[in-house]
Amino acid sequence: MATISVDHLSFSYPTEDGQTPLILSDISATFASGAFTLLTGPSGSGKSTLMKLISGLYPHFAGKVMAGTITIDQRPVSQIDETKRSQMVAMMFQNPNQQFAMDTVERELIFALENQQLAPADMMPKVDAALTYVGIEALRHRKLNSLSGGEKQKVALAVIIAMDTDIILLDEPFASVDPDARQLLLSKLVQLNQERHKTIIISDHDLEDYAPLIDNLYVLNATGDQLRLLTPEEQSVKLAHFKRSHTHQVALSAPDSSDEASIILHQLKLSAGERTLIDQPDFRFYRHRITLLTGPNGTGKSTLLSALSKLTAYAGSITVNHQEVSQLRSKQLFLQEGLVFQDADQQFLNVTMAEELALSMKNSQKIDYFKPKLDAFLKQLQLDQLQDQVVYSLSGGQKKKLQILEMLIMATPILLFDEPFTGLDFASLQAIMAVMRQVATDCQQTYLIVSHQLFGLESLVDYHVTLDNQHLQYVEELA
């Protein structure tokens, strides 16, 4: 076990012109050995940066410590040998794609153990145990790039389990997993904490389910200059305030005869290798409606969006505005629909936020609508002061807001969203949903949104479709 101390820490990402704006400023905290700690705060406050500093990734790979120290059992992290540190601390990134190095699940786990210089004879038992612990034995030989976002997060957790470090850091570990998987993985982390006495720190915006589990709750403020441990009373109030109503109690409408179909599926079959994901005789998504699509991890939600975008082959028929997708030229299709990727980094083509926005404005189908409104949208999303910043230096939540905004600006008649709300605090979620609803109404767009984040979506969505057991179905509740 190990105690982590943050002592008057200040950290900066120096700019090209030599300025050193502070991301974290004079913060202090003690994460007790063997404690289960939750870290929360607004998007962009510096939570991920703090986790990477504790893990030793920063300032080795980015940024500069301007003042203060981080120690593990009174030893500065910067003075711990890299191999020794990898045996002490393991971190799961907000975006697992950024930490995977190999091609298959099994090889990724083996690679992590090789970095710890574990004896070869000891590796496979640890790999077997980790896959079983997380419940993903069936993914063992799967290609990482074939997995869903939620499956990748489970693999990243299995890597950490296999490494068996005393300190476990998890940055938004449940952002892309379905509710059942979230409950399962949380229970596994509690078991690690209670039975193996691991020191666990989780950074999360979604505070549901944590009340009976955590020892401590730290809150990092928006400007990164106050990291405060809540008292037990304050902790109870904050977690109770966040407690949401059960989503199955939220009623939604079903499509009616007045709705006009925008996307029509006929005898559609989608597969991943030998697995059939979707076998759907007939189904329709409706014009000028915002439809939510949910279902367990790995059922084919992202694959469906990919097929609709002509990025994945399919059998049967998919028509968009009465035109067969497979027969459309890419340019013709991209004038009809856009796809908001699950990984925001894959969407960006330029260096700065200003350059990204300029490109979207240049290609917008509704330039006269967005030109007078852009500044207001940026301010509403708290992005107005970040236009000169390199997009890859933004927080996960800031990247998501930028990504969604620039795709809204494109103003395609149909817009497909793959997990658009990951990494967003509740205020950011409310802000981006308000912009989405306004643009959808004003520009008469059709949205199809894949999301495991359900809380608060009743103010955005019109219809709800579930995907399970290879079939799509409309349901009249947000569950």
Side-chain angles (χ1 to χ4, degrees):
M1 295 191 292
T3 298
I4 303 163
S5 296
V6 180
D7 185 24
H8 295 286
L9 177 73
S10 294
F11 180 81
S12 174
Y13 297 110
T15 61
E16 291 185 357
D17 59 5
Q19 297 184 40
T20 54
L22 293 180
I23 304 302
L24 299 170
S25 177
D26 194 30
I27 61 170
S28 297
T30 298
F31 300 97
S33 177
F36 193 137
T37 300
L38 176 61
L39 172 65
T40 192
S43 298
S45 57
K47 300 183 301 298
S48 298
T49 296
L50 177 59
M51 302 277 267
K52 289 176 181 177
L53 282 161
I54 294 172
S55 72
L57 293 172
Y58 289 175
H60 183 70
F61 290 107
K64 182 178 182 180
V65 174
M66 307 300 294
T69 59
I70 296 179
T71 61
I72 298 176
D73 285 342
Q74 301 181 332
R75 292 185 62 193
V77 171
S78 60
Q79 295 180 16
I80 301 174
D81 175 77
E82 286 187 25
T83 300
K84 178 65 175 176
R85 195 170 65 235
S86 74
Q87 297 168 353
M88 297 172 62
V89 186
M91 179 175 175
M92 177 176 166
F93 290 7
Q94 187 174 135
N95 180 358
N97 288 326
Q98 294 178 347
Q99 64 189 112
F100 291 149
M102 307 303 287
D103 58 343
T104 70
V105 172
E106 182 182 72
R107 288 172 183 165
E108 185 65 31
L109 270 71
I110 292 172
F111 178 73
L113 297 177
E114 287 175 339
N115 285 336
Q116 291 185 308
Q117 298 186 1
L118 192 71
D122 296 332
M123 288 185 184
M124 294 317 294
K126 282 187 172 287
V127 171
D128 294 341
L131 293 174
T132 300
Y133 195 82
V134 183
I136 55 171
E137 302 98 314
L139 302 182
R140 183 180 198 121
H141 300 295
R142 291 273 301 277
K143 298 281 189 181
L144 287 166
N145 61 11
S146 74
L147 301 180
S148 71
E151 288 171 331
K152 288 177 182 177
Q153 286 190 301
K154 292 177 184 178
V155 171
L157 181 57
V159 170
I160 286 177
I161 301 300
M163 292 174 69
D164 195 27
T165 57
D166 284 338
I167 298 171
I168 298 175
L169 310 175
L170 304 109
D171 193 4
E172 299 280 349
F174 313 119
S176 297
V177 298
D178 60 75
D180 290 341
R182 173 187 167 88
Q183 294 287 339
L184 174 64
L185 296 179
L186 257 178
S187 70
K188 296 295 186 182
L189 290 172
V190 171
Q191 190 175 347
L192 285 172
N193 172 249
Q194 295 180 349
E195 296 180 5
R196 303 191 195 179
H197 310 293
K198 304 296 187 183
T199 302
I200 297 177
I201 306 174
I202 296 183
S203 171
D204 207 342
H205 290 118
D206 184 349
L207 307 189
E208 191 187 32
D209 305 321
Y210 285 109
L213 309 179
I214 62 173
D215 299 304
N216 302 306
L217 174 56
Y218 275 94
V219 177
L220 183 61
N221 69 345
T223 50
D225 57 8
Q226 185 182 77
L227 179 60
R228 194 165 71 89
L229 173 63
L230 301 192
T231 66
E233 294 76 16
E234 291 173 324
Q235 178 176 310
S236 296
V237 169
K238 186 171 184 67
L239 295 176
H241 176 71
F242 196 85
K243 187 176 181 180
R244 67 196 64 173
S245 59
H246 294 294
T247 52
H248 69 265
Q249 296 175 348
V250 178
L252 295 173
S253 299
D256 59 40
S257 58
S258 65
D259 284 316
E260 179 184 358
S262 179
I263 300 170
I264 300 176
L265 315 179
H266 179 65
Q267 301 297 332
L268 177 67
K269 290 189 177 182
L270 286 178
S271 302
E274 299 297 319
R275 295 189 308 127
T276 298
L277 298 175
I278 297 177
D279 187 353
Q280 186 73 38
D282 291 285
F283 201 81
R284 298 180 177 220
F285 296 99
Y286 294 98
R287 191 182 310 278
H288 302 160
R289 300 293 188 185
I290 299 178
T291 302
L292 172 68
L293 175 59
T294 66
N297 292 123
T299 51
K301 302 182 299 297
S302 296
T303 304
L304 175 59
L305 297 191
S306 185
L308 291 171
S309 306
K310 200 182 175 182
L311 299 175
T312 293
Y314 61 88
S317 173
I318 300 176
T319 60
V320 172
N321 295 330
H322 308 293
Q323 296 176 294
E324 184 65 40
V325 165
S326 63
Q327 296 176 8
L328 287 171
R329 294 181 179 177
S330 296
K331 186 175 182 179
Q332 292 175 305
L333 181 61
F334 297 154
L335 289 173
Q336 290 294 317
E337 62 178 41
L339 173 61
V340 179
F341 298 152
Q342 188 168 143
D343 184 349
D345 286 346
Q346 294 179 351
Q347 203 97 50
F348 300 138
L349 298 173
N350 289 289
V351 177
T352 68
M353 179 187 295
E355 291 170 340
E356 280 291 313
L357 292 169
L359 182 61
S360 291
M361 292 292 283
K362 178 181 178 181
N363 291 284
S364 175
Q365 297 184 39
K366 300 278 187 179
I367 183 66
D368 292 338
Y369 172 83
F370 282 99
K371 192 171 183 179
K373 289 182 170 60
L374 181 58
D375 288 345
F377 284 150
L378 288 170
K379 188 172 183 179
Q380 188 173 348
L381 299 175
Q382 297 186 321
L383 298 174
D384 51 314
Q385 301 299 316
L386 304 174
Q387 294 199 59
D388 293 330
Q389 195 160 325
V390 173
V391 292
Y392 303 103
S393 70
L394 299 173
S395 74
Q398 290 167 338
K399 287 179 183 178
K400 271 296 175 186
K401 289 188 285 187
L402 172 62
Q403 176 198 20
I404 293 170
L405 178 59
E406 65 182 36
M407 292 303 292
L408 291 176
I409 290 171
M410 298 291 286
T412 52
I414 299 171
L415 200 49
L416 312 173
F417 297 83
D418 195 358
E419 296 289 354
F421 307 125
T422 56
L424 296 179
D425 63 86
F426 188 66
S428 294
L429 173 65
Q430 293 295 305
I432 196 64
M433 288 197 304
V435 173
M436 289 169 65
R437 172 55 81 176
Q438 180 180 345
V439 172
T441 300
D442 293 346
C443 298
Q444 295 187 309
Q445 290 175 296
T446 302
Y447 295 167
L448 176 56
I449 303 172
V450 170
S451 180
H452 289 111
Q453 160 68 50
L454 303 182
F455 182 46
L457 295 196
E458 65 270 19
S459 64
L460 176 67
V461 303
D462 300 306
Y463 299 143
H464 181 194
V465 172
T466 60
L467 172 56
D468 202 4
N469 296 319
Q470 304 177 6
H471 285 84
L472 298 157
Q473 180 181 1
Y474 281 96
V475 295
E476 295 181 47
E477 60 186 21
L478 190 65

